[in-house]
Amino acid sequence: MPRITGVRCVLLSSPYADADEREIRACFPNGPKRTIGMVEVTLDNGVTGLGEGYIAVFAPLVFKSIVDLCAPLMLGKDGFDIPRRVRDLRSLCDYWSLQGAARHVISAFESALQDARGKSLGLPVHELLGGAQCDAIPIYGSGGCCDARHQFIRELDLLGAKGIRIYKIRSLKADIWRTVWVLEEAARRGIRVGVDMCQNLADPPQPVDDVVAFVEAVHGRTAERMLFLEEAVGPDSPEAFRELRRRIDVPVCGGEIITTPKEMIERMRAGSYAFVQPDASVIGGISAVMEIFAAADELATEVVVHAWGGAAAIMANYHAAFAGGGKLVEFPMLDFPLGRDMIGDQGRIENGRLQLPTAPGLGLTLTPEMEARYPFDASAVYSCVLKEWGAPPDEDWKDGGAAGGVA
């Protein structure tokens, strides 16, 4: 079997979104540019594979340091024996990072090996996982980082052009009238809305009572209903998710930050979520996501993969969703040219459905010219220390409001 002859850490930075969007103003202190981190493995047959670790969006040099630590352990080993390579990496990292940072790096290695194996055999990764269970999966638009009506309308227009009928927005508990406005504007276009409350970044996170009050306040002002509620309480409090599910009639979901299948499956068994959101660039790779799909079959919990990283993270999750029988996947809407260039036509959306990727491996393209176009910028990091951005007042979202000065 092909041996691993090279390991390279690839850090790249690309323009991202617009400077006036909520996520940039709150989380990117150095402006609208985002970094991704990938592992590139080279096999002795000349094939290379790419995998991504989500931690590089936040701490790229931490990602690189752990990749450099792991690389010597991989060299000379069988690149097709992916379970063995993951065990090797865990033997190196689990003592000091059974959960957390190292799991993101292990994710990158695992996905890179899946990509290299698929390309070596001339098969898409979903074929390596047992084959796709369908030819297309419904997709939801993941955006809503907006503070003005024209920003939301721009995203809703994009969803309409792609035939997408589900839209996820970001709302904090004070965003009652803003959420009402989006629910009603989307409904006029035949689009339903889910809400991400962004409590993965909150310290301390909001209590369950505050979430219940938010849902009641929104639903008390409109006949439209939220389709789901994501990350509404703290990620380290599964019991709070269970309580929230008992107290509201909106499906509750989460799990994008969970870094081991064991922990996610324990939460599924405990009834923490109506559906879970594993991410192959976080939880240990594509095979780890497949463990979640396998458990979901017996636990009556849906799986909707999280896909908010760069191209390698997105495609790893898409391949897992096709092989695992996913019923819905995420489409990150904020503009990210590097991701778009790398994915090309392998992330094609038709009539609101993600089409089955057909290229060998993950179907990614990365050329020296692309690397030169998107050089690493050490200042382009996502900050989890939220800063105040001056969100518009409620009056801007009520009938007749200016919504940030733009009608």
Side-chain angles (χ1 to χ4, degrees):
M1 293 296 180
R3 301 285 166 179
I4 301 170
T5 59
V7 173
R8 182 170 71 107
C9 179
V10 182
L11 298 178
L12 299 173
S13 304
S14 167
Y16 176 59
D18 294 328
D20 61 346
E21 288 184 287
R22 174 178 283 209
E23 185 174 56
I24 299 302
R25 296 167 74 182
C27 306
F28 286 82
N30 298 308
K33 184 185 280 190
R34 188 170 78 157
T35 293
I36 61 167
M38 296 178 288
V39 167
E40 180 188 74
V41 297
T42 301
L43 305 182
D44 63 10
N45 61 7
V47 170
T48 61
L50 289 170
E52 185 175 339
Y54 194 36
I55 188 177
V57 173
F58 310 90
L61 298 182
V62 173
F63 176 79
K64 183 181 186 306
S65 293
I66 302 176
V67 172
D68 291 347
L69 175 68
C70 294
L73 187 62
M74 296 290 98
L75 297 176
K77 303 287 181 62
D78 180 357
F80 278 15
D81 190 353
I82 299 173
R84 177 68 256 183
R85 300 291 73 79
V86 170
R87 289 197 297 273
D88 290 344
L89 292 166
R90 293 192 61 181
S91 72
L92 179 66
C93 300
D94 276 9
Y95 179 76
W96 48 273
S97 189
L98 177 63
Q99 296 170 299
R103 296 290 301 183
H104 292 235
V105 177
I106 292 172
S107 299
F109 274 99
E110 196 272 353
S111 295
L113 291 170
Q114 297 276 11
D115 185 34
R117 183 166 179 253
K119 288 193 283 189
S120 297
L121 299 175
L123 297 172
V125 165
H126 57 75
E127 291 294 331
L128 305 180
L129 304 173
Q133 297 194 29
C134 59
D135 293 328
I137 303 176
I139 196 164
Y140 73 89
S142 185
C145 302
C146 308
D147 278 326
R149 295 188 190 190
H150 75 278
Q151 294 173 335
F152 280 117
I153 289 170
R154 178 181 62 200
E155 293 192 342
L156 287 165
D157 286 345
L158 175 59
L159 296 179
K162 293 182 177 293
I164 297 173
R165 291 291 173 259
I166 300 175
Y167 181 34
K168 183 173 78 178
I169 68 170
R170 275 71 177 169
S171 289
L172 303 182
K173 64 185 179 183
D175 293 322
I176 294 168
W177 282 105
R178 172 179 170 275
T179 305
V180 169
W181 184 87
V182 178
L183 284 167
E184 294 185 342
E185 179 64 27
R188 283 192 282 271
R189 300 162 179 256
I191 295 172
R192 300 192 68 187
V193 176
V195 173
D196 180 346
M197 297 198 76
C198 305
Q199 291 301 291
N200 278 339
L201 305 181
D203 185 18
Q206 64 195 0
V208 171
D209 285 349
D210 288 7
V211 184
V212 174
F214 168 77
V215 172
E216 291 176 347
V218 170
H219 287 177
R221 289 164 172 79
T222 178
E224 305 302 329
R225 292 295 179 260
M226 291 178 251
L227 185 60
F228 59 81
L229 198 62
E230 177 180 335
E231 304 299 354
V233 289
D236 63 347
S237 183
E239 65 280 1
F241 280 95
R242 290 196 300 274
E243 179 186 349
L244 181 61
R245 290 190 68 192
R246 290 193 297 268
R247 295 179 60 184
I248 63 174
D249 60 2
V250 180
V252 173
C253 60
E256 68 193 53
I257 54 86
I258 295 175
T259 53
T260 67
K262 180 177 183 292
E263 182 182 359
M264 183 167 281
I265 292 168
E266 287 174 349
R267 291 183 180 218
M268 292 163 68
R269 291 189 189 282
S272 296
Y273 309 109
F275 64 88
V276 290
Q277 299 167 293
D279 188 323
S281 68
V282 172
I283 200 168
I286 297 169
S287 57
V289 177
M290 297 305 295
E291 289 185 50
I292 304 305
F293 273 108
D297 288 342
E298 65 170 278
L299 297 175
T301 304
E302 292 294 329
V303 179
V304 180
V305 292
H306 177 258
W308 197 251
I314 291 169
M315 292 306 297
N317 284 299
Y318 286 175
H319 279 268
F322 274 105
K327 304 296 192 299
L328 184 68
V329 293
E330 182 174 22
F331 164 52
M333 297 179 68
L334 276 66
D335 190 48
F336 191 51
L338 170 58
R340 186 171 60 245
D341 289 352
M342 289 183 64
I343 290 174
D345 65 357
Q346 293 301 294
R348 190 163 45 93
I349 299 169
E350 293 181 1
N351 299 318
R353 297 166 68 87
L354 175 70
Q355 302 301 299
L356 182 69
T358 57
L362 293 176
L364 302 167
T365 298
L366 182 64
T367 66
E369 292 76 19
M370 290 167 64
E371 292 192 44
R373 195 182 315 143
Y374 302 108
F376 172 52
D377 179 349
S379 71
V381 295
Y382 189 119
S383 172
C384 292
V385 180
L386 298 181
K387 64 178 181 180
E388 178 56 50
W389 66 94
D394 282 347
E395 287 69 24
D396 283 1
W397 301 104
K398 298 178 183 179
D399 289 344
V406 180

